[in-house]
mmCIF file of all heavy atoms in Angstrom:
data_model
loop_
_atom_site.group_PDB
_atom_site.id
_atom_site.type_symbol
_atom_site.label_atom_id
_atom_site.label_comp_id
_atom_site.label_asym_id
_atom_site.label_seq_id
_atom_site.Cartn_x
_atom_site.Cartn_y
_atom_site.Cartn_z
ATOM 1 N N MET A 146 1.565 8.876 2.626
ATOM 2 C CA MET A 146 1.401 8.195 3.914
ATOM 3 C C MET A 146 1.615 9.219 5.058
ATOM 4 O O MET A 146 0.869 9.197 6.034
ATOM 5 C CB MET A 146 2.417 7.045 4.043
ATOM 6 C CG MET A 146 2.192 6.261 5.316
ATOM 7 S SD MET A 146 0.533 5.557 5.386
ATOM 8 C CE MET A 146 0.947 3.883 5.230
ATOM 9 N N ARG A 147 2.574 10.097 4.905
ATOM 10 C CA ARG A 147 2.827 11.125 5.928
ATOM 11 C C ARG A 147 1.598 12.021 6.073
ATOM 12 O O ARG A 147 1.175 12.315 7.170
ATOM 13 C CB ARG A 147 4.050 11.930 5.534
ATOM 14 C CG ARG A 147 4.712 12.590 6.687
ATOM 15 C CD ARG A 147 6.021 13.266 6.335
ATOM 16 N NE ARG A 147 7.029 12.285 6.009
ATOM 17 C CZ ARG A 147 7.906 12.379 5.037
ATOM 18 N NH1 ARG A 147 7.941 13.439 4.262
ATOM 19 N NH2 ARG A 147 8.825 11.422 4.798
ATOM 20 N N ARG A 148 0.985 12.439 4.962
ATOM 21 C CA ARG A 148 -0.214 13.265 5.015
ATOM 22 C C ARG A 148 -1.397 12.538 5.641
ATOM 23 O O ARG A 148 -2.149 13.101 6.423
ATOM 24 C CB ARG A 148 -0.611 13.673 3.562
ATOM 25 C CG ARG A 148 0.249 14.756 3.014
ATOM 26 C CD ARG A 148 -0.310 15.236 1.652
ATOM 27 N NE ARG A 148 0.742 15.860 0.950
ATOM 28 C CZ ARG A 148 1.206 15.414 -0.231
ATOM 29 N NH1 ARG A 148 0.703 14.358 -0.803
ATOM 30 N NH2 ARG A 148 2.192 16.066 -0.842
ATOM 31 N N LEU A 149 -1.502 11.242 5.353
ATOM 32 C CA LEU A 149 -2.563 10.435 5.954
ATOM 33 C C LEU A 149 -2.427 10.363 7.478
ATOM 34 O O LEU A 149 -3.364 10.547 8.225
ATOM 35 C CB LEU A 149 -2.597 9.026 5.334
ATOM 36 C CG LEU A 149 -3.672 8.081 5.877
ATOM 37 C CD1 LEU A 149 -5.062 8.638 5.592
ATOM 38 C CD2 LEU A 149 -3.483 6.698 5.287
ATOM 39 N N VAL A 150 -1.178 10.142 7.957
ATOM 40 C CA VAL A 150 -0.933 10.044 9.397
ATOM 41 C C VAL A 150 -1.251 11.401 10.054
ATOM 42 O O VAL A 150 -1.879 11.466 11.117
ATOM 43 C CB VAL A 150 0.501 9.610 9.669
ATOM 44 C CG1 VAL A 150 0.865 9.771 11.112
ATOM 45 C CG2 VAL A 150 0.690 8.130 9.241
ATOM 46 N N ILE A 151 -0.801 12.501 9.438
ATOM 47 C CA ILE A 151 -1.066 13.825 9.985
ATOM 48 C C ILE A 151 -2.577 14.092 10.061
ATOM 49 O O ILE A 151 -3.097 14.622 11.021
ATOM 50 C CB ILE A 151 -0.340 14.927 9.185
ATOM 51 C CG1 ILE A 151 1.176 14.793 9.438
ATOM 52 C CG2 ILE A 151 -0.847 16.311 9.554
ATOM 53 C CD1 ILE A 151 2.045 15.661 8.528
ATOM 54 N N PHE A 152 -3.305 13.734 9.016
ATOM 55 C CA PHE A 152 -4.758 13.866 8.949
ATOM 56 C C PHE A 152 -5.422 13.078 10.098
ATOM 57 O O PHE A 152 -6.268 13.619 10.792
ATOM 58 C CB PHE A 152 -5.302 13.413 7.638
ATOM 59 C CG PHE A 152 -6.809 13.434 7.570
ATOM 60 C CD1 PHE A 152 -7.527 14.607 7.430
ATOM 61 C CD2 PHE A 152 -7.533 12.232 7.664
ATOM 62 C CE1 PHE A 152 -8.894 14.630 7.376
ATOM 63 C CE2 PHE A 152 -8.897 12.237 7.605
ATOM 64 C CZ PHE A 152 -9.587 13.440 7.494
ATOM 65 N N ILE A 153 -4.979 11.870 10.342
ATOM 66 C CA ILE A 153 -5.584 11.032 11.380
ATOM 67 C C ILE A 153 -5.269 11.629 12.752
ATOM 68 O O ILE A 153 -6.170 11.679 13.612
ATOM 69 C CB ILE A 153 -5.074 9.564 11.268
ATOM 70 C CG1 ILE A 153 -5.695 8.888 10.017
ATOM 71 C CG2 ILE A 153 -5.420 8.763 12.527
ATOM 72 C CD1 ILE A 153 -5.102 7.573 9.655
ATOM 73 N N ILE A 154 -4.083 12.107 12.971
ATOM 74 C CA ILE A 154 -3.734 12.722 14.242
ATOM 75 C C ILE A 154 -4.564 13.990 14.495
ATOM 76 O O ILE A 154 -5.098 14.206 15.568
ATOM 77 C CB ILE A 154 -2.191 13.019 14.320
ATOM 78 C CG1 ILE A 154 -1.435 11.729 14.390
ATOM 79 C CG2 ILE A 154 -1.876 13.952 15.483
ATOM 80 C CD1 ILE A 154 0.072 11.909 14.218
ATOM 81 N N ALA A 155 -4.713 14.815 13.469
ATOM 82 C CA ALA A 155 -5.524 16.031 13.585
ATOM 83 C C ALA A 155 -6.944 15.727 13.865
ATOM 84 O O ALA A 155 -7.580 16.362 14.715
ATOM 85 C CB ALA A 155 -5.378 16.902 12.308
ATOM 86 N N LEU A 156 -7.491 14.739 13.180
ATOM 87 C CA LEU A 156 -8.880 14.306 13.406
ATOM 88 C C LEU A 156 -9.092 13.835 14.837
ATOM 89 O O LEU A 156 -10.061 14.194 15.497
ATOM 90 C CB LEU A 156 -9.287 13.251 12.380
ATOM 91 C CG LEU A 156 -10.757 12.849 12.320
ATOM 92 C CD1 LEU A 156 -11.600 14.040 11.967
ATOM 93 C CD2 LEU A 156 -10.907 11.741 11.329
#
Side-chain angles (χ1 to χ4, degrees):
M146 185 59 113
R147 204 173 291 140
R148 284 188 202 115
L149 180 63
V150 169
I151 290 170
F152 174 76
I153 291 170
I154 290 170
L156 188 61

